[in-house]
PDB file of all heavy atoms in Angstrom:
ATOM      1  N   GLY E  17      96.503 118.852 111.611  1.00 98.00           N
ATOM      2  CA  GLY E  17      96.582 117.674 112.485  1.00 98.00           C
ATOM      3  C   GLY E  17      95.327 116.820 112.338  1.00 98.00           C
ATOM      4  O   GLY E  17      94.220 117.341 112.351  1.00 98.00           O
ATOM      5  N   LEU E  18      95.520 115.558 112.183  1.00 98.00           N
ATOM      6  CA  LEU E  18      94.392 114.629 111.984  1.00 98.00           C
ATOM      7  C   LEU E  18      94.430 113.580 113.114  1.00 98.00           C
ATOM      8  O   LEU E  18      95.493 113.043 113.452  1.00 98.00           O
ATOM      9  CB  LEU E  18      94.527 113.949 110.634  1.00 98.00           C
ATOM     10  CG  LEU E  18      93.384 113.018 110.153  1.00 98.00           C
ATOM     11  CD1 LEU E  18      92.120 113.813 109.956  1.00 98.00           C
ATOM     12  CD2 LEU E  18      93.803 112.325 108.852  1.00 98.00           C
ATOM     13  N   ILE E  19      93.286 113.298 113.689  1.00 98.00           N
ATOM     14  CA  ILE E  19      93.156 112.231 114.699  1.00 98.00           C
ATOM     15  C   ILE E  19      92.117 111.263 114.192  1.00 98.00           C
ATOM     16  O   ILE E  19      90.996 111.665 113.823  1.00 98.00           O
ATOM     17  CB  ILE E  19      92.741 112.821 116.063  1.00 98.00           C
ATOM     18  CG1 ILE E  19      93.757 113.843 116.556  1.00 98.00           C
ATOM     19  CG2 ILE E  19      92.593 111.684 117.086  1.00 98.00           C
ATOM     20  CD1 ILE E  19      93.287 114.575 117.793  1.00 98.00           C
ATOM     21  N   VAL E  20      92.490 109.983 114.123  1.00 98.00           N
ATOM     22  CA  VAL E  20      91.586 108.967 113.574  1.00 98.00           C
ATOM     23  C   VAL E  20      91.474 107.769 114.548  1.00 98.00           C
ATOM     24  O   VAL E  20      92.261 107.664 115.496  1.00 98.00           O
ATOM     25  CB  VAL E  20      92.111 108.457 112.221  1.00 98.00           C
ATOM     26  CG1 VAL E  20      92.120 109.604 111.189  1.00 98.00           C
ATOM     27  CG2 VAL E  20      93.484 107.838 112.332  1.00 98.00           C
ATOM     28  N   GLU E  21      90.481 106.938 114.274  1.00 94.00           N
ATOM     29  CA  GLU E  21      90.205 105.803 115.140  1.00 94.00           C
ATOM     30  C   GLU E  21      91.057 104.583 114.906  1.00 94.00           C
ATOM     31  O   GLU E  21      91.348 103.839 115.839  1.00 94.00           O
ATOM     32  CB  GLU E  21      88.737 105.386 114.972  1.00 94.00           C
ATOM     33  CG  GLU E  21      87.741 106.233 115.696  1.00 94.00           C
ATOM     34  CD  GLU E  21      86.428 105.479 115.868  1.00 94.00           C
ATOM     35  OE1 GLU E  21      86.466 104.368 116.432  1.00 94.00           O
ATOM     36  OE2 GLU E  21      85.399 105.982 115.442  1.00 94.00           O
ATOM     37  N   GLY E  22      91.468 104.332 113.657  1.00 94.00           N
ATOM     38  CA  GLY E  22      92.146 103.074 113.384  1.00 94.00           C
ATOM     39  C   GLY E  22      93.159 103.136 112.280  1.00 94.00           C
ATOM     40  O   GLY E  22      93.370 104.180 111.638  1.00 94.00           O
ATOM     41  N   GLU E  25      92.167 104.283 108.454  1.00 98.00           N
ATOM     42  CA  GLU E  25      92.087 105.712 108.260  1.00 98.00           C
ATOM     43  C   GLU E  25      93.456 106.381 108.396  1.00 98.00           C
ATOM     44  O   GLU E  25      93.733 107.348 107.692  1.00 98.00           O
ATOM     45  CB  GLU E  25      91.118 106.319 109.290  1.00 98.00           C
ATOM     46  CG  GLU E  25      89.683 105.818 109.174  1.00 98.00           C
ATOM     47  CD  GLU E  25      89.397 104.627 110.096  1.00 98.00           C
ATOM     48  OE1 GLU E  25      90.271 103.766 110.274  1.00 98.00           O
ATOM     49  OE2 GLU E  25      88.285 104.585 110.638  1.00 98.00           O
ATOM     50  N   PHE E  26      94.267 105.851 109.286  1.00 98.00           N
ATOM     51  CA  PHE E  26      95.600 106.408 109.507  1.00 98.00           C
ATOM     52  C   PHE E  26      96.434 106.335 108.219  1.00 98.00           C
ATOM     53  O   PHE E  26      97.205 107.275 107.930  1.00 98.00           O
ATOM     54  CB  PHE E  26      96.315 105.618 110.620  1.00 98.00           C
ATOM     55  CG  PHE E  26      97.710 106.086 110.929  1.00 98.00           C
ATOM     56  CD1 PHE E  26      97.920 107.218 111.677  1.00 98.00           C
ATOM     57  CD2 PHE E  26      98.800 105.338 110.470  1.00 98.00           C
ATOM     58  CE1 PHE E  26      99.208 107.635 111.965  1.00 98.00           C
ATOM     59  CE2 PHE E  26     100.100 105.744 110.775  1.00 98.00           C
ATOM     60  CZ  PHE E  26     100.297 106.878 111.492  1.00 98.00           C
ATOM     61  N   LEU E  29      93.610 108.378 104.914  1.00 98.00           N
ATOM     62  CA  LEU E  29      93.215 109.783 104.858  1.00 98.00           C
ATOM     63  C   LEU E  29      94.366 110.736 104.519  1.00 98.00           C
ATOM     64  O   LEU E  29      94.157 111.712 103.766  1.00 98.00           O
ATOM     65  CB  LEU E  29      92.535 110.191 106.152  1.00 98.00           C
ATOM     66  CG  LEU E  29      91.203 109.506 106.424  1.00 98.00           C
ATOM     67  CD1 LEU E  29      90.555 110.066 107.675  1.00 98.00           C
ATOM     68  CD2 LEU E  29      90.230 109.655 105.252  1.00 98.00           C
ATOM     69  N   LEU E  32      94.903 112.102 100.877  1.00 98.00           N
ATOM     70  CA  LEU E  32      94.120 113.195 100.295  1.00 98.00           C
ATOM     71  C   LEU E  32      94.990 114.368  99.877  1.00 98.00           C
ATOM     72  O   LEU E  32      94.675 115.066  98.929  1.00 98.00           O
ATOM     73  CB  LEU E  32      93.060 113.669 101.307  1.00 98.00           C
ATOM     74  CG  LEU E  32      91.909 112.706 101.539  1.00 98.00           C
ATOM     75  CD1 LEU E  32      91.088 113.178 102.731  1.00 98.00           C
ATOM     76  CD2 LEU E  32      91.014 112.575 100.294  1.00 98.00           C
ATOM     77  N   ILE E  45      97.372 110.993 113.764  1.00 98.00           N
ATOM     78  CA  ILE E  45      97.585 110.255 115.010  1.00 98.00           C
ATOM     79  C   ILE E  45      96.492 109.202 115.091  1.00 98.00           C
ATOM     80  O   ILE E  45      95.293 109.532 114.871  1.00 98.00           O
ATOM     81  CB  ILE E  45      97.558 111.169 116.227  1.00 98.00           C
ATOM     82  CG1 ILE E  45      98.752 112.143 116.214  1.00 98.00           C
ATOM     83  CG2 ILE E  45      97.581 110.336 117.506  1.00 98.00           C
ATOM     84  CD1 ILE E  45      98.744 113.115 117.367  1.00 98.00           C
ATOM     85  N   ASN E  46      96.839 107.989 115.382  1.00 98.00           N
ATOM     86  CA  ASN E  46      95.905 106.876 115.459  1.00 98.00           C
ATOM     87  C   ASN E  46      95.531 106.595 116.885  1.00 98.00           C
ATOM     88  O   ASN E  46      96.401 106.216 117.706  1.00 98.00           O
ATOM     89  CB  ASN E  46      96.519 105.632 114.800  1.00 98.00           C
ATOM     90  CG  ASN E  46      95.603 104.446 114.744  1.00 98.00           C
ATOM     91  OD1 ASN E  46      94.464 104.532 115.145  1.00 98.00           O
ATOM     92  ND2 ASN E  46      96.123 103.324 114.238  1.00 98.00           N
ATOM     93  N   LEU E  47      94.246 106.732 117.223  1.00 96.00           N
ATOM     94  CA  LEU E  47      93.767 106.416 118.588  1.00 96.00           C
ATOM     95  C   LEU E  47      93.704 104.942 118.854  1.00 96.00           C
ATOM     96  O   LEU E  47      93.589 104.501 119.999  1.00 96.00           O
ATOM     97  CB  LEU E  47      92.377 106.999 118.814  1.00 96.00           C
ATOM     98  CG  LEU E  47      92.264 108.522 118.908  1.00 96.00           C
ATOM     99  CD1 LEU E  47      90.805 108.894 119.196  1.00 96.00           C
ATOM    100  CD2 LEU E  47      93.166 109.097 119.973  1.00 96.00           C
ATOM    101  N   VAL E  50      88.055 103.712 119.427  1.00 92.00           N
ATOM    102  CA  VAL E  50      87.314 104.511 120.335  1.00 92.00           C
ATOM    103  C   VAL E  50      86.242 103.712 121.046  1.00 92.00           C
ATOM    104  O   VAL E  50      86.009 103.851 122.232  1.00 92.00           O
ATOM    105  CB  VAL E  50      86.676 105.714 119.601  1.00 92.00           C
ATOM    106  CG1 VAL E  50      85.644 106.435 120.478  1.00 92.00           C
ATOM    107  CG2 VAL E  50      87.726 106.713 119.149  1.00 92.00           C
ATOM    108  N   ILE E  59      85.151 109.940 124.930  1.00 97.00           N
ATOM    109  CA  ILE E  59      85.852 110.176 123.662  1.00 97.00           C
ATOM    110  C   ILE E  59      86.744 111.403 123.783  1.00 97.00           C
ATOM    111  O   ILE E  59      87.888 111.403 123.352  1.00 97.00           O
ATOM    112  CB  ILE E  59      84.846 110.347 122.506  1.00 97.00           C
ATOM    113  CG1 ILE E  59      84.051 109.051 122.296  1.00 97.00           C
ATOM    114  CG2 ILE E  59      85.563 110.752 121.212  1.00 97.00           C
ATOM    115  CD1 ILE E  59      82.912 109.217 121.298  1.00 97.00           C
ATOM    116  N   ALA E  63      90.807 111.673 123.320  1.00 98.00           N
ATOM    117  CA  ALA E  63      91.374 112.432 122.218  1.00 98.00           C
ATOM    118  C   ALA E  63      92.176 113.661 122.666  1.00 98.00           C
ATOM    119  O   ALA E  63      93.091 114.078 121.964  1.00 98.00           O
ATOM    120  CB  ALA E  63      90.260 112.912 121.280  1.00 98.00           C
ATOM    121  N   ILE E  78      93.021 121.264 113.575  1.00 98.00           N
ATOM    122  CA  ILE E  78      93.027 119.846 113.922  1.00 98.00           C
ATOM    123  C   ILE E  78      91.644 119.293 113.630  1.00 98.00           C
ATOM    124  O   ILE E  78      90.609 119.850 113.996  1.00 98.00           O
ATOM    125  CB  ILE E  78      93.340 119.663 115.432  1.00 98.00           C
ATOM    126  CG1 ILE E  78      94.720 120.265 115.738  1.00 98.00           C
ATOM    127  CG2 ILE E  78      93.280 118.197 115.828  1.00 98.00           C
ATOM    128  CD1 ILE E  78      94.946 120.537 117.220  1.00 98.00           C
ATOM    129  N   VAL E  79      91.651 118.139 112.907  1.00 98.00           N
ATOM    130  CA  VAL E  79      90.392 117.474 112.547  1.00 98.00           C
ATOM    131  C   VAL E  79      90.361 116.114 113.221  1.00 98.00           C
ATOM    132  O   VAL E  79      91.288 115.286 113.035  1.00 98.00           O
ATOM    133  CB  VAL E  79      90.239 117.317 111.024  1.00 98.00           C
ATOM    134  CG1 VAL E  79      88.968 116.580 110.684  1.00 98.00           C
ATOM    135  CG2 VAL E  79      90.249 118.706 110.336  1.00 98.00           C
ATOM    136  N   PHE E  80      89.361 115.875 114.007  1.00 98.00           N
ATOM    137  CA  PHE E  80      89.145 114.590 114.667  1.00 98.00           C
ATOM    138  C   PHE E  80      88.074 113.859 113.915  1.00 98.00           C
ATOM    139  O   PHE E  80      86.936 114.301 113.830  1.00 98.00           O
ATOM    140  CB  PHE E  80      88.749 114.830 116.137  1.00 98.00           C
ATOM    141  CG  PHE E  80      88.471 113.599 116.940  1.00 98.00           C
ATOM    142  CD1 PHE E  80      88.988 112.361 116.582  1.00 98.00           C
ATOM    143  CD2 PHE E  80      87.683 113.671 118.087  1.00 98.00           C
ATOM    144  CE1 PHE E  80      88.732 111.222 117.317  1.00 98.00           C
ATOM    145  CE2 PHE E  80      87.417 112.522 118.844  1.00 98.00           C
ATOM    146  CZ  PHE E  80      87.947 111.291 118.448  1.00 98.00           C
ATOM    147  N   CYS E  81      88.418 112.710 113.348  1.00 98.00           N
ATOM    148  CA  CYS E  81      87.500 111.942 112.513  1.00 98.00           C
ATOM    149  C   CYS E  81      87.200 110.614 113.222  1.00 98.00           C
ATOM    150  O   CYS E  81      88.091 109.850 113.540  1.00 98.00           O
ATOM    151  CB  CYS E  81      88.144 111.686 111.161  1.00 98.00           C
ATOM    152  SG  CYS E  81      87.063 110.830 109.976  1.00 98.00           S
ATOM    153  N   LEU E  82      85.912 110.378 113.494  1.00 96.00           N
ATOM    154  CA  LEU E  82      85.529 109.130 114.132  1.00 96.00           C
ATOM    155  C   LEU E  82      84.290 108.573 113.456  1.00 96.00           C
ATOM    156  O   LEU E  82      83.654 109.238 112.621  1.00 96.00           O
ATOM    157  CB  LEU E  82      85.228 109.333 115.620  1.00 96.00           C
ATOM    158  CG  LEU E  82      84.016 110.133 116.048  1.00 96.00           C
ATOM    159  CD1 LEU E  82      83.566 109.687 117.429  1.00 96.00           C
ATOM    160  CD2 LEU E  82      84.314 111.625 116.095  1.00 96.00           C
ATOM    161  N   ASP E  83      83.989 107.327 113.740  1.00 97.00           N
ATOM    162  CA  ASP E  83      82.835 106.606 113.122  1.00 97.00           C
ATOM    163  C   ASP E  83      81.602 106.711 114.013  1.00 97.00           C
ATOM    164  O   ASP E  83      81.675 106.676 115.213  1.00 97.00           O
ATOM    165  CB  ASP E  83      83.177 105.122 112.948  1.00 97.00           C
ATOM    166  CG  ASP E  83      84.274 104.871 111.934  1.00 97.00           C
ATOM    167  OD1 ASP E  83      84.539 105.777 111.126  1.00 97.00           O
ATOM    168  OD2 ASP E  83      84.886 103.814 111.971  1.00 97.00           O
ATOM    169  N   ARG E  84      80.453 106.812 113.324  1.00 96.00           N
ATOM    170  CA  ARG E  84      79.180 106.778 114.032  1.00 96.00           C
ATOM    171  C   ARG E  84      78.900 105.405 114.628  1.00 96.00           C
ATOM    172  O   ARG E  84      78.236 105.286 115.655  1.00 96.00           O
ATOM    173  CB  ARG E  84      78.056 107.188 113.069  1.00 96.00           C
ATOM    174  CG  ARG E  84      76.670 107.189 113.695  1.00 96.00           C
ATOM    175  CD  ARG E  84      75.630 107.467 112.658  1.00 96.00           C
ATOM    176  NE  ARG E  84      74.271 107.358 113.161  1.00 96.00           N
ATOM    177  CZ  ARG E  84      73.212 107.292 112.402  1.00 96.00           C
ATOM    178  NH1 ARG E  84      73.336 107.302 111.075  1.00 96.00           N
ATOM    179  NH2 ARG E  84      71.993 107.175 112.961  1.00 96.00           N
ATOM    180  N   VAL E  98      80.583 115.625 120.748  1.00 98.00           N
ATOM    181  CA  VAL E  98      82.009 115.397 120.995  1.00 98.00           C
ATOM    182  C   VAL E  98      82.787 116.700 120.968  1.00 98.00           C
ATOM    183  O   VAL E  98      83.692 116.897 121.791  1.00 98.00           O
ATOM    184  CB  VAL E  98      82.582 114.419 119.935  1.00 98.00           C
ATOM    185  CG1 VAL E  98      84.092 114.310 120.048  1.00 98.00           C
ATOM    186  CG2 VAL E  98      81.939 113.029 120.100  1.00 98.00           C
ATOM    187  N   LEU E 102      84.916 117.896 124.086  1.00 98.00           N
ATOM    188  CA  LEU E 102      86.355 118.081 123.876  1.00 98.00           C
ATOM    189  C   LEU E 102      86.784 119.517 124.161  1.00 98.00           C
ATOM    190  O   LEU E 102      87.868 119.770 124.704  1.00 98.00           O
ATOM    191  CB  LEU E 102      86.700 117.680 122.413  1.00 98.00           C
ATOM    192  CG  LEU E 102      88.183 117.529 122.041  1.00 98.00           C
ATOM    193  CD1 LEU E 102      88.972 116.722 123.058  1.00 98.00           C
ATOM    194  CD2 LEU E 102      88.269 116.876 120.660  1.00 98.00           C
ATOM    195  N   LEU E 116      89.683 123.481 116.106  1.00 98.00           N
ATOM    196  CA  LEU E 116      89.360 122.052 116.204  1.00 98.00           C
ATOM    197  C   LEU E 116      88.001 121.784 115.511  1.00 98.00           C
ATOM    198  O   LEU E 116      87.070 122.552 115.654  1.00 98.00           O
ATOM    199  CB  LEU E 116      89.222 121.659 117.680  1.00 98.00           C
ATOM    200  CG  LEU E 116      88.696 120.248 117.974  1.00 98.00           C
ATOM    201  CD1 LEU E 116      89.725 119.203 117.513  1.00 98.00           C
ATOM    202  CD2 LEU E 116      88.399 120.097 119.448  1.00 98.00           C
ATOM    203  N   ALA E 117      87.987 120.712 114.729  1.00 98.00           N
ATOM    204  CA  ALA E 117      86.743 120.279 114.083  1.00 98.00           C
ATOM    205  C   ALA E 117      86.567 118.775 114.285  1.00 98.00           C
ATOM    206  O   ALA E 117      87.554 118.029 114.275  1.00 98.00           O
ATOM    207  CB  ALA E 117      86.742 120.613 112.605  1.00 98.00           C
ATOM    208  N   VAL E 118      85.333 118.339 114.437  1.00 98.00           N
ATOM    209  CA  VAL E 118      85.025 116.909 114.550  1.00 98.00           C
ATOM    210  C   VAL E 118      84.160 116.507 113.384  1.00 98.00           C
ATOM    211  O   VAL E 118      83.144 117.173 113.069  1.00 98.00           O
ATOM    212  CB  VAL E 118      84.295 116.604 115.872  1.00 98.00           C
ATOM    213  CG1 VAL E 118      83.922 115.132 115.962  1.00 98.00           C
ATOM    214  CG2 VAL E 118      85.162 117.010 117.095  1.00 98.00           C
ATOM    215  N   VAL E 119      84.549 115.435 112.690  1.00 98.00           N
ATOM    216  CA  VAL E 119      83.797 114.914 111.565  1.00 98.00           C
ATOM    217  C   VAL E 119      83.485 113.447 111.844  1.00 98.00           C
ATOM    218  O   VAL E 119      84.334 112.671 112.238  1.00 98.00           O
ATOM    219  CB  VAL E 119      84.610 115.005 110.264  1.00 98.00           C
ATOM    220  CG1 VAL E 119      83.852 114.362 109.110  1.00 98.00           C
ATOM    221  CG2 VAL E 119      84.928 116.458 109.922  1.00 98.00           C
ATOM    222  N   VAL E 120      82.219 113.065 111.629  1.00 98.00           N
ATOM    223  CA  VAL E 120      81.748 111.714 111.931  1.00 98.00           C
ATOM    224  C   VAL E 120      81.412 110.995 110.621  1.00 98.00           C
ATOM    225  O   VAL E 120      80.545 111.449 109.882  1.00 98.00           O
ATOM    226  CB  VAL E 120      80.513 111.715 112.854  1.00 98.00           C
ATOM    227  CG1 VAL E 120      79.996 110.305 113.086  1.00 98.00           C
ATOM    228  CG2 VAL E 120      80.895 112.382 114.200  1.00 98.00           C
ATOM    229  N   ALA E 121      82.090 109.883 110.377  1.00 97.00           N
ATOM    230  CA  ALA E 121      81.754 109.035 109.218  1.00 97.00           C
ATOM    231  C   ALA E 121      80.471 108.264 109.510  1.00 97.00           C
ATOM    232  O   ALA E 121      80.342 107.691 110.569  1.00 97.00           O
ATOM    233  CB  ALA E 121      82.885 108.042 108.937  1.00 97.00           C
ATOM    234  N   ASP E 122      79.575 108.252 108.552  1.00 96.00           N
ATOM    235  CA  ASP E 122      78.241 107.655 108.761  1.00 96.00           C
ATOM    236  C   ASP E 122      78.097 106.393 107.889  1.00 96.00           C
ATOM    237  O   ASP E 122      77.804 106.465 106.747  1.00 96.00           O
ATOM    238  CB  ASP E 122      77.165 108.675 108.349  1.00 96.00           C
ATOM    239  CG  ASP E 122      75.778 108.260 108.743  1.00 96.00           C
ATOM    240  OD1 ASP E 122      75.622 107.292 109.494  1.00 96.00           O
ATOM    241  OD2 ASP E 122      74.811 108.918 108.296  1.00 96.00           O
ATOM    242  N   SER E 124      80.745 104.356 108.964  1.00 96.00           N
ATOM    243  CA  SER E 124      82.120 103.938 109.101  1.00 96.00           C
ATOM    244  C   SER E 124      82.908 104.422 107.909  1.00 96.00           C
ATOM    245  O   SER E 124      82.363 104.912 106.932  1.00 96.00           O
ATOM    246  CB  SER E 124      82.209 102.389 109.151  1.00 96.00           C
ATOM    247  OG  SER E 124      81.834 101.845 107.879  1.00 96.00           O
ATOM    248  N   PHE E 125      84.225 104.312 107.989  1.00 97.00           N
ATOM    249  CA  PHE E 125      85.080 104.660 106.864  1.00 97.00           C
ATOM    250  C   PHE E 125      84.668 103.920 105.586  1.00 97.00           C
ATOM    251  O   PHE E 125      84.758 104.483 104.483  1.00 97.00           O
ATOM    252  CB  PHE E 125      86.527 104.319 107.218  1.00 97.00           C
ATOM    253  CG  PHE E 125      87.499 104.440 106.095  1.00 97.00           C
ATOM    254  CD1 PHE E 125      88.019 105.667 105.697  1.00 97.00           C
ATOM    255  CD2 PHE E 125      87.883 103.301 105.376  1.00 97.00           C
ATOM    256  CE1 PHE E 125      88.901 105.753 104.646  1.00 97.00           C
ATOM    257  CE2 PHE E 125      88.779 103.401 104.327  1.00 97.00           C
ATOM    258  CZ  PHE E 125      89.288 104.628 103.945  1.00 97.00           C
ATOM    259  N   TRP E 128      82.459 105.486 102.987  1.00 98.00           N
ATOM    260  CA  TRP E 128      83.049 106.427 102.045  1.00 98.00           C
ATOM    261  C   TRP E 128      83.557 105.726 100.799  1.00 98.00           C
ATOM    262  O   TRP E 128      83.477 106.244  99.703  1.00 98.00           O
ATOM    263  CB  TRP E 128      84.187 107.189 102.729  1.00 98.00           C
ATOM    264  CG  TRP E 128      83.678 108.107 103.819  1.00 98.00           C
ATOM    265  CD1 TRP E 128      82.399 108.468 104.061  1.00 98.00           C
ATOM    266  CD2 TRP E 128      84.458 108.786 104.796  1.00 98.00           C
ATOM    267  NE1 TRP E 128      82.328 109.320 105.124  1.00 98.00           N
ATOM    268  CE2 TRP E 128      83.574 109.522 105.585  1.00 98.00           C
ATOM    269  CE3 TRP E 128      85.843 108.835 105.061  1.00 98.00           C
ATOM    270  CZ2 TRP E 128      84.033 110.328 106.636  1.00 98.00           C
ATOM    271  CZ3 TRP E 128      86.295 109.636 106.087  1.00 98.00           C
ATOM    272  CH2 TRP E 128      85.393 110.376 106.888  1.00 98.00           C
ATOM    273  N   SER E 204      78.745 112.602 104.732  1.00 97.00           N
ATOM    274  CA  SER E 204      79.817 112.749 105.739  1.00 97.00           C
ATOM    275  C   SER E 204      81.195 112.871 105.103  1.00 97.00           C
ATOM    276  O   SER E 204      82.057 113.561 105.630  1.00 97.00           O
ATOM    277  CB  SER E 204      79.752 111.616 106.742  1.00 97.00           C
ATOM    278  OG  SER E 204      79.910 110.360 106.128  1.00 97.00           O
ATOM    279  N   LEU E 205      81.408 112.238 103.933  1.00 98.00           N
ATOM    280  CA  LEU E 205      82.666 112.406 103.232  1.00 98.00           C
ATOM    281  C   LEU E 205      82.768 113.841 102.726  1.00 98.00           C
ATOM    282  O   LEU E 205      83.816 114.501 102.792  1.00 98.00           O
ATOM    283  CB  LEU E 205      82.791 111.446 102.072  1.00 98.00           C
ATOM    284  CG  LEU E 205      84.004 111.597 101.176  1.00 98.00           C
ATOM    285  CD1 LEU E 205      85.306 111.431 101.975  1.00 98.00           C
ATOM    286  CD2 LEU E 205      83.993 110.605 100.023  1.00 98.00           C
ATOM    287  N   LYS E 207      81.431 116.386 104.084  1.00 98.00           N
ATOM    288  CA  LYS E 207      81.719 117.179 105.285  1.00 98.00           C
ATOM    289  C   LYS E 207      83.212 117.188 105.575  1.00 98.00           C
ATOM    290  O   LYS E 207      83.799 118.259 105.883  1.00 98.00           O
ATOM    291  CB  LYS E 207      80.897 116.642 106.451  1.00 98.00           C
ATOM    292  CG  LYS E 207      81.257 117.278 107.804  1.00 98.00           C
ATOM    293  CD  LYS E 207      80.953 118.758 107.860  1.00 98.00           C
ATOM    294  CE  LYS E 207      81.193 119.369 109.240  1.00 98.00           C
ATOM    295  NZ  LYS E 207      80.955 120.781 109.301  1.00 98.00           N
ATOM    296  N   LEU E 208      83.832 116.035 105.496  1.00 98.00           N
ATOM    297  CA  LEU E 208      85.269 115.948 105.765  1.00 98.00           C
ATOM    298  C   LEU E 208      86.043 116.802 104.771  1.00 98.00           C
ATOM    299  O   LEU E 208      86.924 117.613 105.144  1.00 98.00           O
ATOM    300  CB  LEU E 208      85.751 114.502 105.697  1.00 98.00           C
ATOM    301  CG  LEU E 208      87.284 114.335 105.772  1.00 98.00           C
ATOM    302  CD1 LEU E 208      87.810 114.737 107.114  1.00 98.00           C
ATOM    303  CD2 LEU E 208      87.658 112.884 105.455  1.00 98.00           C
ATOM    304  N   THR E 211      85.608 120.436 105.355  1.00 98.00           N
ATOM    305  CA  THR E 211      86.366 120.824 106.560  1.00 98.00           C
ATOM    306  C   THR E 211      87.823 121.034 106.233  1.00 98.00           C
ATOM    307  O   THR E 211      88.496 121.901 106.816  1.00 98.00           O
ATOM    308  CB  THR E 211      86.173 119.766 107.634  1.00 98.00           C
ATOM    309  OG1 THR E 211      84.794 119.658 107.971  1.00 98.00           O
ATOM    310  CG2 THR E 211      86.973 120.118 108.899  1.00 98.00           C
ATOM    311  N   LEU E 212      88.337 120.226 105.323  1.00 97.00           N
ATOM    312  CA  LEU E 212      89.739 120.331 104.895  1.00 97.00           C
ATOM    313  C   LEU E 212      89.981 121.428 103.859  1.00 97.00           C
ATOM    314  O   LEU E 212      91.101 121.682 103.456  1.00 97.00           O
ATOM    315  CB  LEU E 212      90.233 119.005 104.343  1.00 97.00           C
ATOM    316  CG  LEU E 212      90.284 117.854 105.340  1.00 97.00           C
ATOM    317  CD1 LEU E 212      90.659 116.551 104.642  1.00 97.00           C
ATOM    318  CD2 LEU E 212      91.283 118.162 106.460  1.00 97.00           C
TER     319      LEU E 212
END
Side-chain angles (χ1 to χ4, degrees):
L18 186 65
I19 302 171
V20 298
E21 281 200 55
E25 298 94 322
F26 180 77
L29 294 185
L32 289 169
I45 294 176
N46 183 2
L47 290 183
V50 168
I59 296 172
I78 300 161
V79 178
F80 178 22
C81 185
L82 70 154
D83 293 341
R84 180 185 174 195
V98 172
L102 192 46
L116 172 69
V118 177
V119 176
V120 177
D122 191 10
S124 68
F125 171 81
W128 293 349
S204 59
L205 176 59
K207 172 64 175 178
L208 172 66
T211 300
L212 295 175

